[in-house]
């Protein structure tokens, strides 16, 4: 992977997490203009964050998500991670490193933007909720199933987009993320991306956030393992389906 591709993936993931955690902060934290804006506002905010991130990371193929990288790697119908970027372990790890760096920096940027509101927010759970996902009902097995299903839908449909003449480009992926959040996001907050949760959770752990409480590391494996399994299944199952050829 070239430095240019690495930088593109880093900045695309940075934009995704800056805007994505930003909309959660706007809804969850005390005294913001968007306080109590509701879950649908969060869904649309994440969709638009994906829309922005995909354009920024066009050079890298805009994975922005290690589950997408895994899905593309598993799918034999896809020849490269991006134009000129071979599918191999070294490049997969480079994508993961760029995504992790971008996600941590995006979460730090969100904290800086909302610093005063983090200070004013009395509930540590609301502060953690900006940086990481958490289940409505904690049951690790079923929470894992939810993340697997949501990420399967994400990767499977993204691969369908690549093979069909939709002409919508990044907008299609943005709307897909909104749809997944609105329909499957209720049980776990729909990480559907290891980098959405792990990088910001690391940022939560080291940032000097007033009254932040625990980073809930006991749950942290679910939004990492679930999306990786879901991405792998999405990539494999997509090879079994014949999509119409692009126009």
């Amino acid at each position: 992977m070239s430095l240019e591709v690495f930088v593109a993936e880093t900045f695309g993931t940075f934009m995704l997490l800056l805007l994505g955690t930003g909309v959660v902060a706007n809804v969850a934290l005390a005294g913001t203009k968007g306080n109590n804006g509701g879950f649908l506002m969060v869904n649309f905010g994440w969709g638009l964050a994906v829309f922005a991130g995909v354009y920024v990371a066009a050079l890298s193929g805009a994975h922005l998500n290690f589950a997408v990288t895994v899905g593309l790697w598993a799918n034999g119908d896809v020849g490269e991670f991006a134009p000129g970027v071979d599918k191999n372990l070294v490049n997969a790890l480079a994508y993961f490193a760029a995504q992790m760096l971008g996600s941590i920096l995006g979460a730090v940027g969100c904290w800086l933007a909302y610093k005063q509101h983090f200070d004013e927010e009395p509930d540590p759970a609301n502060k953690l909720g900006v940086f990481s996902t958490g289940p409505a009902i904690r049951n690790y097995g079923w929470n894992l199933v939810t993340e697997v299903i949501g990420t399967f839908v994400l990767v499977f449909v993204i691969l369908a987009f690549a093979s069909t003449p939709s002409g919508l480009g990044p907008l299609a992926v943005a709307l897909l993320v909104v749809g997944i959040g609105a329909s499957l996001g209720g049980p776990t907050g729909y990480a559907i991306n290891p980098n959405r949760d792990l990088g910001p959770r690391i940022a939560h752990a080291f940032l000097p956030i007033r009254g932040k409480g625990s980073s809930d590391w006991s749950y942290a494996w679910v939004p990492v393992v679930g999306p990786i399994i879901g991405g792998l299944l999405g990539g494999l199952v997509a090879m079994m389906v014949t999509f119409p050829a692009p126009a």
Side-chain angles (χ1 to χ4, degrees):
M1 175 189 292
S2 69
L3 178 60
E4 290 84 359
V5 170
F6 184 90
V7 170
E9 187 71 7
T10 299
F11 274 93
T13 312
F14 166 80
M15 192 60 61
L16 168 66
L17 269 297
L18 175 63
L19 298 180
T21 56
V23 72
V24 180
N26 197 15
V27 169
L29 299 180
T32 67
K33 299 288 188 179
N35 185 249
N36 293 320
F39 193 56
L40 193 57
M41 177 174 165
V42 172
N43 299 158
F44 274 100
W46 273 106
L48 294 172
V50 169
F51 186 72
V54 168
Y55 273 110
V56 170
L59 187 64
S60 68
H63 298 192
L64 312 181
N65 180 345
F66 192 58
V68 171
T69 304
V70 169
L72 293 174
W73 196 2
N75 189 285
D77 296 334
V78 178
E80 298 176 302
F81 282 137
V85 183
D86 294 335
K87 291 201 305 184
N88 57 51
L89 178 60
V90 171
N91 284 336
L93 293 176
Y95 269 99
F96 181 67
Q99 293 156 2
M100 281 296 295
L101 177 60
S103 65
I104 292 171
L105 292 175
V108 171
C110 172
W111 173 70
L112 291 171
Y114 281 92
K115 171 64 167 62
Q116 295 180 92
H117 296 278
F118 276 107
D119 290 345
E120 293 295 322
E121 173 58 49
D123 188 351
N126 286 346
K127 298 177 184 183
L128 177 61
V130 173
F131 293 91
S132 64
T133 59
I137 301 173
R138 186 172 295 247
N139 181 308
Y140 295 123
W142 286 112
N143 300 152
L144 183 71
V145 168
T146 298
E147 287 293 334
V148 169
I149 293 170
T151 314
F152 168 81
V153 172
L154 176 71
V155 173
F156 179 81
V157 178
I158 284 175
L159 288 167
F161 288 156
S163 303
T164 54
S166 67
L168 294 175
L171 179 60
V173 182
L175 293 174
L176 172 62
V177 170
V178 173
I180 292 171
S183 58
L184 298 172
T188 62
Y190 77 117
I192 60 173
N193 181 350
N195 310 96
R196 180 274 174 264
D197 192 282
L198 182 57
R201 197 183 296 266
I202 291 170
H204 177 271
F206 72 71
L207 284 171
I209 304 167
R210 182 184 300 174
K212 65 181 177 181
S214 167
S215 298
D216 193 16
W217 288 106
S218 63
Y219 181 77
W221 67 275
V222 174
V224 172
V225 175
I228 289 174
I229 295 172
L232 178 64
L233 292 174
L236 292 173
V237 174
M239 289 193 298
M240 305 176 189
V241 179
T242 300
F243 299 110

